[in-house]
Amino acid sequence: MTIKLLLLLLGLVAGCAVADDVLQLNDADFDSKTASHDTVLVMFFAPWCGHCKRLKPEFEKAASTLKSNDPPVILAKVDCTEDGKDTCSRFQVSGYPTLKIFKGGELSTDYNGPREANGIVKYMRSQVGPASKELTSIEVAEAFLAAPEVSVVYFGEDSKLKDAFLQAADKLRETVRFAHSVEAEVDEKFGHKNVIVLYRPKHLDNKFEPSSVVYDGLGDKTAIQAFIKKNYFGLVGHRTQDAAGEFVPPLVVGYYNVDYVKNPKGTNYWRNRILKVAENFEDFNFGISNKDDFQHELNEFGLDFVAGDKPVVCARDIKSQKFVMKDEFTMENLETFLTQLSAGELEPYLKSEPVPTQDGPVTVAVAKNFEEVVTNSEKDVLIEFYAPWCGHCKKLAPTYDELGEAMKNENVAIVKMDATANDVPPSFNVRGFPTIFWKPAGGSPVSYNGGRELDDFIKYIAKEATTELKGWDRKGKARKVEL
């Protein structure tokens, strides 16, 4: 009992230490405390804000790492509902959480980087010091390369290649670690001179690809950037939340208990098996992701829960169509899945509600009938993508029904689709609700940004319709009905 209590107390102390690494600022001390540090990332928050509560533990973890950075970066917070109201007003904080970077007490820029600990650390490290670290000794170089991240290093003397390297470093400093040697002993120790080398972190070492790659191109920053992008993640990259956007289709991802902190050996056990197959399928990009961190993605593939230790494999082809490997993971099953995927022999997964019976003034689209009622429709289509919980969508619904009734005798279809329950084709870029598109017959979708009143819709449709409306002229003026 005593041991359990001691462990609990130690956990509480550790938690408090992490929380204390974030400075609490207010109206009285904001200017003086931010001015006393070179770089400060400030989170303006409200205690009731759900997004703020989710960010808080990630922000605290990042703070404990960045305080010992060279040079240090301080993370701070301001409560906009209490003793920080004036400061929040002064910096025009209109939503929570809002993050801003201050340098020497002055506002530098808004923070638009990742919202999880590792991403915050990487982004803020890029905001301080030079883009490329000077390797002044063998010890400094070894310490730099010991970090669990990809590192890109220039070895050698001043040259056009070095100039281009430094330009590339400045361009990519927010996502990539760079360093350059300034001592001949460093070049000799690592066996390189007048070259650029990309080093992969030791925990990703494997027998299927080299642990480092030498750039053999010209002194051109664009070419160097392309080299880094091509080789950064290796054959099967560790796809974290902050780096997910860098992995593009055609993409194959193994979702399982990826954890390079608590279980690197177990993580690499499955990664190596994916690597063994991946080396024979060069047309695909590959990654591994933690199944809990990416449950939202698994939901998009129809997987609400993944049991067991084995990876679940999901893929997107070049058209971003989704595919799920239905068989239990083995190297043989993965190879069969990829072979069939390459040959176009697999049926894509489509998240869709059942095709409904149409009995109202507005046609209901789901993923399964989308091509019929929208993409290949012989009519012009106005389609609303909505969410059931969206207040603006609920407010629009009566007007949209009126519009459907008004257009029932026209060569125009008024359509709606629940975008939370159905896959939306990539050509319809839905980022909020409601989102409305005009799709002319045989044409491409165009975003509708007009008013939301009935008359606004009618005027727009009257002007844009492929065939002039029967009930309205091109200006949206109702035609007279002859008796």
Side-chain angles (χ1 to χ4, degrees):
M1 189 71 177
T2 306
I3 294 175
K4 288 183 178 179
L5 181 61
L6 178 61
L7 290 173
L8 177 62
L9 289 172
L10 287 172
L12 290 172
V13 170
C16 291
V18 170
D20 287 346
D21 291 333
V22 179
L23 291 182
Q24 177 74 55
L25 306 180
N26 55 49
D27 293 333
D29 63 11
F30 184 89
D31 290 336
S32 61
K33 286 192 175 179
T34 54
S36 66
H37 300 284
D38 290 336
T39 304
V40 183
L41 174 63
V42 180
M43 175 175 68
F44 298 92
F45 75 99
W48 46 260
C49 160
H51 291 299
C52 303
K53 291 176 182 177
R54 284 192 289 274
L55 176 60
K56 183 175 179 287
E58 300 297 320
F59 202 71
E60 291 171 350
K61 286 183 204 172
S64 65
T65 300
L66 286 168
K67 71 175 185 178
S68 57
N69 188 66
D70 181 20
V73 177
I74 305 302
L75 270 59
K77 59 184 178 182
V78 176
D79 185 345
C80 293
T81 68
E82 294 293 340
D83 54 6
K85 289 181 179 178
D86 292 343
T87 302
C88 295
S89 177
R90 179 154 55 107
F91 292 106
Q92 300 178 328
V93 175
S94 58
Y96 309 116
T98 292
L99 286 79
K100 295 179 182 286
I101 300 171
F102 291 79
K103 294 193 174 183
E106 297 292 327
L107 175 63
S108 173
T109 184
D110 289 341
Y111 173 89
N112 295 310
R115 296 295 178 99
E116 52 89 25
N118 290 337
I120 294 170
V121 169
K122 183 178 285 188
Y123 186 95
M124 290 309 300
R125 278 175 174 167
S126 75
Q127 302 298 311
V128 297
S132 178
K133 180 180 178 64
E134 288 190 348
L135 304 181
T136 54
S137 68
I138 293 173
E139 291 73 24
V140 170
E142 288 176 337
F144 180 80
L145 293 175
E149 300 177 57
V150 172
S151 303
V152 184
V153 181
Y154 173 80
F155 296 96
E157 303 165 347
D158 291 347
S159 66
K160 288 185 178 180
L161 181 61
K162 182 179 180 180
D163 292 341
F165 167 83
L166 294 174
Q167 290 172 351
D170 191 59
K171 188 73 173 177
L172 299 177
R173 63 183 297 161
E174 292 182 2
T175 55
V176 184
R177 300 173 75 244
F178 291 92
H180 58 278
S181 67
V182 292
E183 295 292 339
E185 66 172 5
V186 174
D187 300 343
E188 292 172 7
K189 170 66 177 179
F190 290 91
H192 295 294
K193 188 167 185 178
N194 297 329
V195 295
I196 297 167
V197 184
L198 182 146
Y199 290 91
R200 298 187 175 111
K202 293 189 182 301
H203 67 272
L204 295 181
D205 278 353
N206 63 83
K207 64 181 181 181
F208 304 101
E209 59 187 345
S211 58
S212 63
V213 188
V214 177
Y215 173 72
D216 58 4
L218 301 174
D220 176 78
K221 71 171 183 179
T222 303
I224 294 171
Q225 289 172 221
F227 161 78
I228 294 170
K229 183 176 181 180
K230 178 182 177 182
N231 293 284
Y232 190 86
F233 293 108
L235 190 55
V236 178
H238 181 197
R239 188 169 170 270
T240 60
Q241 288 177 313
D242 65 295
E246 301 297 320
F247 290 76
V248 297
L251 175 65
V252 180
V253 180
Y255 298 90
Y256 60 103
N257 293 313
V258 175
D259 190 339
Y260 277 108
V261 176
K262 296 179 180 178
N263 189 20
K265 186 175 179 180
T267 298
N268 278 332
Y269 176 85
W270 294 114
R271 178 174 179 258
N272 286 337
R273 278 148 183 76
I274 296 174
L275 275 161
K276 175 68 173 175
V277 179
E279 65 176 343
N280 297 318
F281 291 87
E282 296 181 356
D283 292 338
F284 291 101
N285 298 313
F286 290 86
I288 55 169
S289 288
N290 181 282
K291 64 181 182 181
D292 295 329
D293 290 345
F294 286 86
Q295 183 58 54
H296 61 288
E297 282 190 359
L298 289 167
N299 291 343
E300 290 298 309
F301 287 89
L303 301 171
D304 296 328
F305 175 72
V306 175
D309 296 329
K310 291 186 176 182
V312 167
V313 177
C314 302
R316 287 183 183 269
D317 65 11
I318 196 67
K319 297 178 182 178
S320 230
Q321 294 184 108
K322 298 182 289 187
F323 300 85
V324 179
M325 189 175 89
K326 297 177 182 178
D327 295 321
E328 183 179 63
F329 181 88
T330 65
M331 288 189 290
E332 293 78 13
N333 286 341
L334 177 58
E335 184 170 3
T336 299
F337 171 73
L338 294 174
T339 300
Q340 292 174 336
L341 182 59
S342 299
E345 297 173 354
L346 298 177
E347 187 74 22
Y349 169 77
L350 200 62
K351 183 174 76 169
S352 179
E353 295 176 292
V355 176
T357 301
Q358 307 294 348
D359 57 1
V362 175
T363 301
V364 178
V366 296
K368 288 180 179 178
N369 72 351
F370 195 88
E371 286 196 354
E372 176 189 346
V373 301
V374 180
T375 307
N376 298 329
S377 175
E378 294 180 356
K379 294 182 177 182
D380 296 333
V381 176
L382 187 76
I383 179 167
E384 174 207 3
F385 296 95
Y386 71 93
W389 45 258
C390 161
H392 292 298
C393 304
K394 293 175 182 177
K395 183 179 178 181
L396 177 62
T399 303
Y400 210 64
D401 285 343
E402 284 185 67
L403 180 62
E405 190 67 37
M407 293 290 140
K408 67 180 181 181
N409 294 321
E410 304 288 352
N411 198 39
V412 175
I414 307 303
V415 182
K416 64 180 180 181
M417 186 168 95
D418 180 352
T420 69
N422 296 277
D423 281 337
V424 178
S427 55
F428 294 84
N429 187 16
V430 177
R431 294 191 175 184
F433 304 111
T435 294
I436 302 173
F437 280 90
W438 172 254
K439 167 67 172 62
S444 300
V446 178
S447 179
Y448 172 82
N449 297 307
R452 302 290 174 88
E453 299 298 328
L454 179 62
D455 190 52
D456 296 321
F457 286 120
I458 289 176
K459 284 182 177 178
Y460 178 88
I461 294 171
K463 179 184 176 183
E464 300 294 336
T466 303
T467 303
E468 191 167 340
L469 300 182
K470 301 171 187 175
W472 293 266
D473 64 19
R474 285 294 186 185
K475 294 183 179 180
K477 185 176 180 181
R479 299 183 192 278
K480 292 182 180 180
V481 178
E482 295 184 10
L483 300 177

